Amino acid sequence: MASLRPLLFAFALALLAAAAVSARYVKQLDVDVDTPVYRVPDDVPLHDESLRYVLRWAGVPVAGASVTFEPAVGGDGLDFDVSGATHPALDWLFPYRFWGAGHLNTSPLRPDRFVVDECTWQEHDRTEIRFPADASPIRGLRHRRGRWKQYEFHSDNTYDIPSAAYLLMNVDYAPGAVFELDTFTGKSRYLLRATVAGRERVRAASADRDAWRLRLETRELTDDDPDGRHRETDVWVSPERPRRLLYASSKTFVGAITLELAGEGAATPSGAPPEAVGAP
C-alpha cells in the first residue's frame, strides 16, 4: 500500500517546525537546481470547498480521501486540510490513516506551513514543514519510530506539495507547455515536471467531463543516485478556475492506481488542525 501515498499526496504532505531541534540529527538538503518562477493569475477566486475522492487499485476501491479549502480568516491565502483512510474491508490487512492541515499565501503564491500525521498498525509518524518569511532556512521535521530528524536548506523558489498542486492547477495552460517545480516533502526534494498533453473527456463524480490532461514526472534531487527515481502520473483537471483534480492514474509494478473525484460541496469544519510541535 506504499503506492497509496503518491496519489493521496498529489494534494499535500508535510509542515515544518521553526523550533530548535534537540533531536540529534540534522541533514542539509542544499542542491544545485534552477527552475522558472511562475505566477498564478490574479483572477483565481479563493473559495470554500470540500472535495471527496476514491482511490482504486486495479479497479477495486481501497481508500478514500478528502480535501477542504477555506479562505484564511483575517489574512491572505487559503487554509486547507486533507485526510484519508484505507477501506474498512482492508483494515485487517493494512490500516492506514492520514490527517494534514496547513496554509498557503496566494498574493503572491508562497508556501507557508503544512503538517501531516500518518498512522498504521503500530506507528504514528509526523511530518512538519515551515517556509520562513525571512532568510532563515526552509525546515522539515520528521518524527518516526520515536526519533526526530530535521532537514533544512536555503531556497527562494521551492514549494511543498499543496502549493505545487495549487500552482499547477491554476496557471495558464497550452498544449505542450512544460512546468518544472522544486518540491519539498519534508525529508526530500523532488523536481516535479508537468507537461500539458491537451484537452480530453474523463469520467468523474458519475459524469463525463471536459478536462485538461497533464503528465507528471518526478525525480528525486537529494538521492545519492544522480539520476534519482522517476515516477509518472497522468492527471485530469477541470478547465474552469478554480480548477479541481478530477482523475489521476499511475501505473505501478503492482497494477494501476487511480484516484477519482467522488463528490464536491461547501467546506465543512473539520476541527482544529494538527499543531506544529517540533521535537521535544
Side-chain angles (χ1 to χ4, degrees), residues 85-279:
T86 46
H87 193 282
L90 296 178
D91 279 349
W92 67 273
L93 177 64
F94 185 87
Y96 175 73
R97 305 285 187 272
F98 79 86
W99 304 266
H103 174 82
L104 62 88
N105 299 298
T106 55
S107 298
L109 178 63
R110 183 178 64 82
D112 184 11
R113 60 185 184 274
F114 190 34
V115 59
V116 171
D117 286 307
E118 301 176 74
C119 294
T120 57
W121 273 118
Q122 297 177 330
E123 295 185 5
H124 180 183
D125 301 333
R126 167 164 285 211
T127 303
E128 302 182 5
I129 304 175
R130 187 173 297 278
F131 289 78
D134 56 20
S136 302
I138 298 169
R139 290 192 175 95
L141 196 63
R142 298 262 298 179
H143 183 268
R144 181 175 173 81
R145 296 176 180 174
R147 186 184 182 192
W148 289 94
K149 294 184 178 181
Q150 180 172 303
Y151 305 83
E152 61 181 39
F153 61 96
H154 287 85
S155 173
D156 58 4
N157 195 27
T158 297
Y159 299 86
D160 58 6
I161 292 178
S163 58
Y166 182 85
L167 172 63
L168 287 178
M169 287 200 295
N170 287 295
V171 291
D172 292 325
Y173 293 159
V178 176
F179 305 93
E180 292 186 331
L181 304 179
D182 174 12
T183 308
F184 182 45
T185 67
K187 63 169 291 187
S188 299
R189 293 171 69 182
Y190 289 83
L191 180 63
L192 172 61
R193 180 184 176 91
T195 303
V196 180
R199 295 283 280 270
E200 297 180 354
R201 302 291 293 181
V202 68
R203 189 160 185 82
S206 302
D208 291 324
R209 303 190 179 202
D210 185 28
W212 285 99
R213 179 168 69 88
L214 281 67
R215 166 62 60 89
L216 307 183
E217 303 169 83
T218 61
R219 179 171 61 87
E220 189 168 353
L221 297 171
T222 48
D223 192 272
D224 292 336
D225 179 357
D227 292 329
R229 291 178 294 169
H230 297 263
R231 301 183 182 91
E232 294 184 357
T233 300
D234 287 312
V235 300
W236 287 259
V237 302
S238 59
E240 69 281 351
R241 293 190 180 98
R243 297 193 181 108
R244 301 168 181 85
L245 176 65
L246 300 177
Y247 194 84
S249 177
S250 181
K251 293 181 179 179
T252 73
F253 72 95
V254 295
I257 305 292
T258 62
L259 186 73
E260 180 184 342
L261 178 67
E264 52 194 304
T268 56
S270 59
E275 296 181 4
V277 296

Side-chain angles (χ1 to χ4, degrees), residues 45-49 69-79 103 267:
L46 300 182
H47 60 296
D48 289 41
E49 189 169 46
F69 305 92
E70 295 180 286
V73 177
D76 168 58
L78 286 172
D79 293 327
H103 174 82

